[in-house]
Amino acid sequence: MTGQTSCAESVSPAAVGLLSPEPADQQLARLLNASQRARGAFAGDVLAELDRQETFPSAACQVLNDFGLPVYYVPLQHGGKLNDMTELMQLWRAISRHDLTVAIGHGKTFLGSVCYWLAGSPDQQSRAAKDVINGSVYAWGLTERSHGSDLLAGELTATQQDNGWVLEGEKWLINNASRGQVMCLLARTSPAGGSRGYSLFALDKRLQPGTAFSLLPKVKTHGIRGADISGIALHNAFVPQHAMIGAPGAGLEIVLKALQLTRTACVGLSLGAADQAFEIAVEFMRARALYDNHLIDLPLARATLGEALAMHLCAELVGLAATRSVHALPDEMSMISVIAKAFVPGTVESVIKRLGEMLGARAFLDHVHRDGMYQKLERDHRIVPIFDGSMVVNRSSLITQFPLLTSAWKRARNSAAGLEIVLTPGLDLPAFNPAQLQLIALQGCSVLQGLPKASARIIALAAAKKLPQTVASQCRRLLAHVEALYRELDQYVPTTEGVPDAAFELARQYERCFAGAVCLQFWLFNHTRDDGPALRRKPQWLQACLAWVLGTLGDRTEGEHNAFEALASLLLDHTTEWPVNGISLLRDTPEEAHP
Ligand SMILES: Cc1cc2nc3c(=O)[nH]c(=O)nc-3n(C[C@H](O)[C@H](O)[C@H](O)COP(=O)(O)OP(=O)(O)OC[C@H]3O[C@@H](n4cnc5c(N)ncnc54)[C@H](O)[C@@H]3O)c2cc1C
């Protein structure tokens, strides 16, 4: 399908009743918006009060269970509905638009069960699938009090006995450690540790005697205050042999592959937080009268809003690229997942900060404006760039892959077909095959390796007056940055001692270049298609996104910032209502799609 509508025989799908069913995330968004309006479990004041009382939002999680969300945590082949990681990202986004505590509390079951889907035996997978679908809560225990990111330092031990293993030690700062029925634990199985010295175990608390473990107290947190962030201490807890997930010694490898999926899906938490930030900020900016004007009409406010929108759209497209790559470029996920987890939460953090400046004091106050949701949102989102691998941890993982990325760039290797599927939401995705995940991206980065060819097409389109010349010029500049960056990466000498801080700056630039290349190629693949929101086909968003990306690379030409105001005006001036589910290049808002 190309999306061209010129064919005389073409019939509107709606006319013949062939409209595809409403996507799950839009159904969920409708449900949650209705709950909010009806002062149900998703009402802002209800969620804000639970946060103040540091109480877990159980009623909201029950709404999600009633919707059937746990089914989306289980892959299709095991009886669930998970067959598109973008769908999971969008589902979490729909929840995070209302409350991150709920999304993080509920979503943890996916993180806690993902190792089963990657490495469990058929029997383990079938049992876990039924359990998750029935609403059991899972947790994932990697971190210990003395060891966070450094998983190879973990001290919780598993010692082999005749028919199983004895677990001893502590996992701490674990989401759902107390609420959860099952915890997937990384344990040291070889006293010497090392990369083959850890294994994964399922600890089903329902099957353990009370003496086998104690729950550690809930920890008070800066954000997501109602979440169950606690821990567990194991006292010689016996688990049978079949509690081991994967082979002995394979724990770290399974976790590293699982993180490629979880870090990718977590992007939805940030995107939803950004949707909420825009909704609150734009409503305020429209209503706030200042100097005989409205805040929204002041040029600086519009430019700030437009730049934040450009950042948000870049983040959304990087999220799309990452989640669809799970299916179409799985062997690149070791690199794409760390880019997504470093780039998206970090970018959204800046978006929230900038929009917060627009709200003035109201971003800081509780109770006063919109139940104090903005300050809550800002606090809640602080954890997203930290857990599941902090920005620094993700960047250091990217740094270790620099030599492979450089070598693939030199070979000009490019998985063109995979890249087109990744960046064209209207194309069907191949089924996810866990066996294709790799620990390193031997094939390099198709998104950046596709840029030279894409640039030639962009420049030709601009020459044919189908695209503003500005975009062609931005494209040339981006390509020049990418070429210069690869030259620098080529000079980088890997080290096992402390990684130099200059390498982290190169990783930051790599993320920016990746985001710019995603935007450009997304536009190329989609501008002649008629699926998706109308915004996709307008060059203004692309111009603004490239202006932002280039600016973060220290390259902004005079007047280029006008692209931000133009984007804000494009989105504001044709509507009096900000779309309830936010601005998106991925899907029509439900209101548009289902009037
Ligand atoms: C609310 C919340 C929920 C959580 N949920 C879970 C959960 O469900 N399961 C779980 O296992 N864990 C969970 N965690 C733990 C979380 O994943 C860890 O806090 C995180 O991995 C960071 O570990 P750390 O805080 O011990 O810091 P450390 O890893 O000790 O890092 C300390 C500092 O060193 C920096 N650093 C780390 N590595 C490098 C490097 N290579 N180069 C340069 N600097 C580096 C870090 O950026 C940081 O600034 C949760 C934490 C919180 C706060």
Side-chain angles (χ1 to χ4, degrees):
M1 172 185 163
T2 63
Q4 298 294 345
T5 51
S6 54
C7 169
E9 288 84 12
S10 73
V11 179
S12 141
V16 291
L18 288 178
L19 266 185
S20 54
E22 189 179 21
D25 65 288
Q26 295 194 1
Q27 292 175 34
L28 182 63
R30 272 175 187 284
L31 180 75
L32 304 190
N33 293 341
S35 166
Q36 181 186 42
R37 283 193 297 269
R39 297 226 50 256
F42 277 84
D45 59 338
V46 171
L47 292 165
E49 192 51 34
L50 288 174
D51 188 64
R52 286 182 205 110
Q53 292 172 7
E54 303 181 1
T55 301
F56 189 79
S58 305
C61 284
Q62 190 54 49
V63 171
L64 301 179
N65 283 346
D66 293 344
F67 172 80
L69 188 61
V71 187
Y72 291 90
Y73 299 159
V74 177
L76 206 59
Q77 62 268 37
H78 304 308
K81 289 188 179 172
L82 176 62
N83 68 340
D84 175 355
M85 284 298 286
T86 309
E87 184 167 61
L88 184 58
M89 172 186 88
Q90 292 285 73
L91 284 163
W92 283 357
R93 178 179 183 174
I95 308 164
S96 309
R97 210 174 276 143
H98 293 267
D99 190 88
L100 273 169
T101 309
V102 179
I104 291 170
H106 198 279
K108 194 72 203 188
T109 291
F110 174 68
L111 277 69
S113 57
V114 70
C115 292
Y116 286 89
W117 319 139
L118 293 188
S121 66
D123 185 52
Q124 285 174 326
Q125 290 175 333
S126 146
R127 283 169 194 270
K130 286 194 190 93
D131 203 26
V132 169
I133 289 171
N134 285 336
S136 292
V137 173
Y138 280 48
W140 202 13
L142 307 176
T143 304
E144 299 178 7
R145 207 176 284 266
S146 309
H147 316 291
S149 326
D150 186 2
L151 296 178
L152 284 175
E155 292 177 74
L156 187 146
T157 55
T159 311
Q160 184 132 44
Q161 280 201 344
D162 285 348
N163 307 318
W165 297 80
V166 172
L167 301 171
E168 172 69 30
E170 200 181 280
K171 291 287 176 186
W172 180 76
L173 274 191
I174 307 302
N175 183 5
N176 285 340
S178 301
R179 290 177 63 241
Q181 283 86 36
V182 179
M183 189 181 282
C184 176
L185 289 166
L186 184 67
R188 186 185 284 240
T189 39
S190 151
S195 59
R196 305 306 293 180
Y198 289 83
S199 307
L200 279 170
F201 294 90
L203 179 85
D204 190 331
K205 288 179 354 198
R206 295 165 295 195
L207 305 177
Q208 291 290 331
T211 50
F213 66 90
S214 32
L215 298 175
L216 305 177
K218 171 175 159 59
V219 179
K220 280 184 174 287
T221 48
H222 174 63
I224 58 165
R225 291 183 175 167
D228 165 22
I229 308 300
S230 51
I232 190 166
L234 299 164
H235 317 298
N236 289 321
F238 176 81
V239 291
Q241 186 63 39
H242 60 74
M244 183 182 276
I245 303 172
L252 192 72
E253 180 179 343
I254 300 167
V255 166
L256 291 177
K257 288 182 176 171
L259 286 168
Q260 295 178 20
L261 304 183
T262 59
R263 286 175 175 165
T264 300
C266 277
V267 161
L269 303 173
S270 290
L271 295 178
D275 288 337
Q276 191 185 30
F278 278 108
E279 197 269 312
I280 297 174
V282 172
E283 184 204 53
F284 176 78
M285 290 166 80
R286 278 198 152 126
R288 188 71 173 170
L290 270 180
Y291 319 114
D292 295 332
N293 220 329
H294 280 104
L295 177 57
I296 197 85
D297 295 319
L298 298 180
L300 179 65
R302 244 171 214 238
T304 304
L305 179 65
E307 185 165 16
L309 277 165
M311 294 161 76
H312 177 52
L313 295 180
C314 284
E316 183 183 56
L317 290 186
V318 169
L320 176 86
T323 48
R324 288 180 68 85
S325 291
V326 168
H327 304 265
L329 295 172
D331 54 344
E332 298 185 22
M333 282 309 295
S334 63
M335 169 266 311
I336 298 177
S337 60
V338 296
I339 290 178
K341 183 64 174 52
F343 178 79
V344 177
T347 303
V348 167
E349 189 122 307
S350 305
V351 166
I352 293 172
K353 188 166 178 294
R354 276 176 202 214
L355 294 177
E357 285 162 12
M358 293 295 104
L359 279 160
R362 279 158 185 78
F364 190 70
L365 303 177
D366 195 1
H367 292 283
V368 175
H369 182 72
R370 297 282 298 267
D371 305 303
M373 283 307 263
Y374 206 92
Q375 56 81 31
K376 175 179 179 317
L377 153 78
E378 197 164 18
R379 280 189 288 105
D380 288 350
H381 188 264
R382 281 276 288 110
I383 187 58
V384 185
I386 296 174
F387 64 26
D388 228 33
S390 66
M391 185 182 284
V392 167
V393 167
N394 283 297
R395 285 189 178 156
S396 59
S397 171
L398 184 62
I399 291 166
T400 59
Q401 300 181 66
F402 279 171
L404 294 171
L405 297 176
T406 316
S407 135
W409 169 260
K410 284 189 199 157
R411 282 183 276 131
R413 188 215 147 262
N414 178 16
S415 169
L419 185 60
E420 181 166 3
I421 293 174
V422 164
L423 294 178
T424 315
L427 296 181
D428 288 340
L429 284 173
F432 167 55
N433 177 359
Q436 291 179 325
L437 293 178
Q438 303 295 329
L439 292 180
I440 45 173
L442 278 172
Q443 306 302 330
C445 174
S446 290
V447 164
L448 285 182
Q449 287 149 211
L451 189 62
K453 204 168 137 207
S455 297
R457 287 180 59 200
I458 288 277
I459 290 163
L461 280 169
K465 300 205 180 330
K466 292 185 177 159
L467 198 57
Q469 278 298 337
T470 332
V471 178
S473 140
Q474 289 176 315
C475 182
R476 283 194 195 91
R477 284 155 58 208
L478 180 65
L479 183 58
H481 281 287
V482 170
E483 287 166 345
L485 179 59
Y486 271 111
R487 282 195 294 276
E488 286 203 59
L489 297 189
D490 203 20
Q491 303 297 313
Y492 175 71
V493 181
T495 166
T496 47
E497 305 301 311
V499 177
D501 60 349
F504 285 92
E505 169 56 18
L506 293 178
R508 188 193 71 84
Q509 290 178 24
Y510 199 91
E511 291 156 19
R512 266 56 186 171
C513 289
F514 182 91
V518 162
C519 291
L520 258 173
Q521 291 171 93
F522 179 84
W523 193 86
L524 265 183
F525 287 130
N526 291 283
H527 74 284
T528 54
R529 298 178 61 94
D530 64 2
D531 54 344
L535 178 63
R536 256 188 216 173
R537 290 169 283 282
K538 301 198 193 294
Q540 289 94 329
W541 73 262
L542 178 60
Q543 241 170 297
C545 287
L546 291 176
W548 178 73
V549 166
L550 289 164
T552 67
L553 295 169
D555 175 1
R556 184 163 292 166
T557 57
E558 205 184 323
E560 196 164 26
H561 64 276
N562 292 336
F564 303 134
E565 212 178 319
L567 178 63
S569 298
L570 176 76
L571 294 170
L572 289 168
D573 292 347
H574 76 287
T575 164
T576 51
E577 293 281 324
W578 193 253
V580 67
N581 296 321
I583 296 293
S584 172
L585 287 165
L586 304 192
R587 288 203 172 130
D588 295 335
T589 64
E591 291 73 13
E592 287 166 351
H594 299 270

